[in-house]
Structure formats: structure tokens, C-alpha cells
């Protein structure tokens, strides 16, 4: 156990130093990871509940650390945000996800849309639109096959500015999805004004279906509101057939989760597409 100094002073300095040092260390490791190509992307299929076919794939970053092995995004995205490195990492994801999706389209002859997660730092970066344009040109992907996932909190800042930015991005043909919907500060009056296409119901509301009646009410209400506003709805974290059936009955448009498929490597995704339809 640590000794507590007079006034707790030493205790706090030590804590702070340890935290700062750890942050600095991981920041260096992340820079190194970018240079050494230690990141990769896995793709999780999203399924159209009407047809059972794949509507889109979500790009999820993976860090293959030479010593620690696979590091989950929950362990490094927040640090990448804090240090600002997320802007470079996010650009890497955007570019490589578009490149691989374009390749997959050519290999399979099928139209495939890719959903890429944006962090708040990226969203408020003045270069974002230039970066997107460059990636579109460089990879040759048609913008209608690109979807960007943003979270509610990112959209609540300066609402008029956000609306303008989203409109410019959407005018290129890109799809906008609000991720983790219901977990943040969603205000329905904002939602009405925001030019978005899809709401993604947060996993937290899906997890306890069909045991939790409140979660079922909330989920069906989100679906109904979204449809009234002419938006599509996707549910994430769908792990079993009861959840799938509930979503089908309540007219949810799309679903994503282990029930349909875990996130897949590019190679596995390719086999998946050539094998045909999902559940
Ligand atoms: P998210 O955007 O909400 O992504 C969905 C997470 O749920 C993924 O975790 C996915 O593997 C997991 N998942 C999918 N289906 C199921 C299911 O049926 N049950 C359960 N329990 N989990 C499921 P992952 O890949 O570990 O990513 C965690 C978070 O890290 C993401 O949450 C996202 O916020 C962030 N993230 C991942 N990749 C990127 C990226 O490229 N850029 C940014 N900015 N954030 C990313
Ligand atoms: Ca997401
Ligand atoms: Ca999510
Ligand atoms: Ca979530």
C-alpha cells in the first residue's frame, strides 16, 4: 500500500506522475504502431432484417501489439483521443476501410457499404472534409458506399455548425448514422433538425431483451420515432434469436451482432460474401 503524505500531497503527485507516464508511454507506442503497421481492421456485417442480406459492414480497428498481443479498442481509443493521435489513426482507418471495401466490391461484384466510426476529435477537425475527399479520390470508392458513425454527444456542440457540416458531408452522397443512440444526451428537438440517415440503438437496450420490459418499450419507441422522422434504424449487440424476432416484429430495419456474425478479418469476410446469405 502507498504511504499517504502529510495533506495527501505526496500521494496525489505520485498518482499523477504514474498516470502521466503511462499515458506518455502508450502515446509513444501508438505512434510506433502507426509507423510499424500494427493496426488492422475487422468488419462486422450488418443485416437487413427484411431480406436477410448484408446491408453494410462496420469497420472496427484492432491493434496487434508485438508483445501484448491483440489490444481491444476500449483500451486505446480513449488514450488516442486524449493525445490527439486519434486524428491520424482515424484517417488510417478511413482510408484502409474504403480501400478494402472497394477491393471487396471488385472481387465479389456486389455493392457493399462500409461504416466507419468517427471520434469527436476527428469530427471537430477542420481538415475532416478534405481528408474524406482525398480518401474518396485515392481509393476510388463511390461515396454512396461510405457511411460514417458519429455519437450524439459530438452533435450537440454548436448545432447550427454541426448541421452545416453534416449537410456538406451528406451532399457528397455519404450516409450518416448516430451510433449508441439513447446512451447519451439525445434531445428529440435536435434529432428533428439533424440531417442524419440512420439511428443505431445502443447495445445496452438490446442486451436484456426479452427479459427487460422497459428495454423492450424503449427499443420499440426508438424504432417508431425514427420511422416517424423518416430515418432507418439498426440495433447493435443482437446475440440471440429472441432479440432478432423482437426487432423483426417491431419493424427494425437492420441488425448487427454475434447472432449474425462476429467481426471478421478481410479474408473471412470475403469467404462470407462468396458463401451467400446470412441468417
Ligand atoms: P461501437 O462502435 O459501439 O462498436 C460495436 C462494438 O460491439 C464492437 O466492439 C463490436 O465488436 C462489439 N459487438 C458486436 N456485436 C456484439 C454483440 O453481439 N455482443 C457484444 N457484447 N458486443 C458486440 P469493439 O470492436 O471492441 O469496439 C469497441 C468500441 O471501440 C467501438 O464501439 C467504438 O466506439 C470504438 N472503435 C472501434 N473501432 C474504432 C475506430 O476505427 N475508430 C474509432 N473512433 N472508434 C473505434
Ligand atoms: Ca460504431
Ligand atoms: Ca455502437
Ligand atoms: Ca454501444
Amino acid at each position: 500500500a502507498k504511504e499517504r503524505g502529510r495533506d495527501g500531497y505526496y500521494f496525489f503527485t505520485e498518482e499523477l506522475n504514474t498516470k502521466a507516464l503511462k499515458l506518455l508511454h502508450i502515446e509513444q507506442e501508438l505512434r510506433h504502431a502507426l509507423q510499424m503497421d500494427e493496426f488492422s481492421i475487422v468488419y462486422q456485417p450488418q443485416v437487413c432484417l427484411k431480406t436477410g442480406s448484408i446491408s453494410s459492414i462496420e469497420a472496427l480497428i484492432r491493434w496487434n501489439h508485438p508483445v501484448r498481443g491483440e489490444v481491444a479498442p476500449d483500451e486505446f481509443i480513449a488514450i488516442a483521443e486524449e493525445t490527439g493521435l486519434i486524428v491520424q489513426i482515424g484517417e488510417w482507418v478511413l482510408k484502409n476501410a474504403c480501400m478494402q471495401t472497394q477491393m471487396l466490391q471488385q472481387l465479389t461484384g456486389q455493392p457493399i457499404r462500409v461504416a466507419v466510426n468517427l471520434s469527436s476529435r476527428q469530427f471537430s477537425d477542420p481538415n475532416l472534409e478534405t481528408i474524406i475527399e482525398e480518401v474518396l479520390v485515392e481509393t476510388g470508392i463511390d461515396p454512396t458506399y461510405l457511411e460514417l458513425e458519429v455519437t450524439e454527444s459530438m452533435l450537440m456542440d454548436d448545432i447550427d455548425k454541426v448541421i452545416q457540416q453534416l449537410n456538406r458531408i451528406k451532399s457528397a452522397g455519404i450516409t450518416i448514422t448516430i451510433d449508441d443512440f439513447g446512451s447519451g444526451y439525445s434531445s428529440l428537438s435536435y434529432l428533428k433538425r439533424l440531417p442524419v440517415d440512420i439511428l443505431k440503438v445502443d447495445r445496452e437496450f438490446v442486451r436484456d431483451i426479452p427479459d427487460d420490459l422497459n428495454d423492450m418499450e424503449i427499443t420499440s419507441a426508438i424504432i417508431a420515432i425514427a420511422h416517424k422522422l423518416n430515418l432507418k434504424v439498426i440495433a447493435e449487440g443482437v446475440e440471440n434469436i429472441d432479440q432478432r424476432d423482437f426487432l423483426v416484429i417491431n419493424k427494425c430495419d437492420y441488425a448487427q451482432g454475434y447472432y449474425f456474425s462476429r467481426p471478421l478479418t478481410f479474408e473471412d469476410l470475403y469467404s462470407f460474401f462468396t458463401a451467400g446469405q446470412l441468417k
Side-chain angles (χ1 to χ4, degrees):
K2 281 180 200 132
E3 277 279 306
R4 191 193 158 100
R6 225 175 7 114
D7 319 318
Y9 178 79
Y10 297 117
F11 177 81
F12 283 117
T13 344
E14 191 187 312
E15 283 279 284
L16 270 180
N17 279 339
T18 315
K19 193 186 172 229
L21 278 175
K22 197 175 168 210
L23 201 71
L24 191 69
H25 180 64
I26 299 185
E27 180 182 355
Q28 281 166 352
E29 282 199 312
L30 285 171
R31 275 186 206 287
H32 186 77
L34 266 173
Q35 278 163 6
M36 302 306 285
D37 231 13
E38 287 171 12
F39 294 115
S40 63
I41 303 173
V42 289
Y43 297 90
Q44 188 174 34
Q46 304 180 339
V47 178
C48 172
L49 288 172
K50 250 195 206 136
T51 63
S53 59
I54 300 174
S55 57
S56 191
I57 50 179
E58 180 177 6
L60 296 160
I61 192 171
R62 293 292 178 264
W63 180 11
N64 315 293
H65 190 280
V67 180
R68 283 189 277 157
E70 192 172 283
V71 186
D74 285 336
E75 288 177 54
F76 68 87
I77 291 287
I79 294 165
E81 278 262 341
E82 224 172 309
T83 59
L85 266 179
I86 191 70
V87 175
Q88 275 165 273
I89 295 173
E91 185 177 347
W92 182 91
V93 172
L94 182 68
K95 186 175 159 186
N96 284 275
C98 287
M99 206 165 71
Q100 293 195 315
T101 303
Q102 165 78 355
M103 200 188 293
L104 195 67
Q105 290 190 2
Q106 282 170 349
L107 286 170
T108 63
Q110 293 182 54
I112 299 157
R113 190 169 73 201
V114 67
V116 176
N117 291 284
L118 281 192
S119 84
S120 59
R121 280 274 193 131
Q122 283 176 282
F123 194 70
S124 55
D125 178 9
N127 291 321
L128 175 67
E129 289 167 49
T130 315
I131 290 170
I132 294 174
E133 272 168 35
E134 280 172 8
V135 166
L136 290 175
V137 171
E138 229 176 297
T139 63
I141 194 171
D142 186 302
T144 57
Y145 296 126
L146 177 59
E147 177 180 334
L148 297 175
E149 294 194 3
V150 297
T151 57
E152 294 158 89
S153 52
M154 287 156 58
L155 306 177
M156 297 295 138
D157 242 15
D158 178 345
I159 184 82
D160 293 311
K161 220 177 115 191
V162 165
I163 289 174
Q164 284 170 14
Q165 186 176 359
L166 289 178
N167 273 327
R168 284 193 304 270
I169 294 174
K170 265 173 63 80
S171 69
I174 296 167
T175 301
I176 307 277
T177 295
I178 302 189
D179 201 357
D180 301 335
F181 187 78
S183 70
Y185 317 83
S186 31
S187 150
L188 294 177
S189 60
Y190 275 23
L191 188 61
K192 193 179 75 177
R193 294 181 58 197
L194 287 171
V196 300
D197 305 285
I198 304 175
L199 292 191
K200 189 183 263 197
V201 181
D202 191 65
R203 187 163 75 223
E204 196 188 313
F205 301 118
V206 177
R207 193 184 49 217
D208 297 328
I209 294 175
D211 302 319
D212 190 315
L213 291 178
N214 287 330
D215 285 345
M216 286 156 76
E217 292 293 348
I218 291 170
T219 301
S220 59
I222 293 177
I223 297 169
I225 290 171
H227 286 162
K228 280 243 178 337
L229 295 172
N230 274 320
L231 306 175
K232 300 279 188 207
V233 194
I234 178 165
E236 69 177 351
V238 179
E239 295 185 350
N240 60 55
I241 194 163
D242 293 333
Q243 293 166 344
R244 203 262 331 241
D245 288 348
F246 176 84
L247 295 166
V248 170
I249 289 167
N250 285 279
K251 306 257 181 338
C252 188
D253 302 282
Y254 314 109
Q256 173 182 4
Y258 298 160
Y259 173 73
F260 301 99
S261 169
R262 297 212 164 234
L264 304 168
T265 62
F266 182 76
E267 288 75 18
D268 289 346
L269 186 69
Y270 174 67
S271 320
F272 214 78
F273 265 96
T274 44
Q277 288 216 328
L278 285 169
K279 287 183 191 171

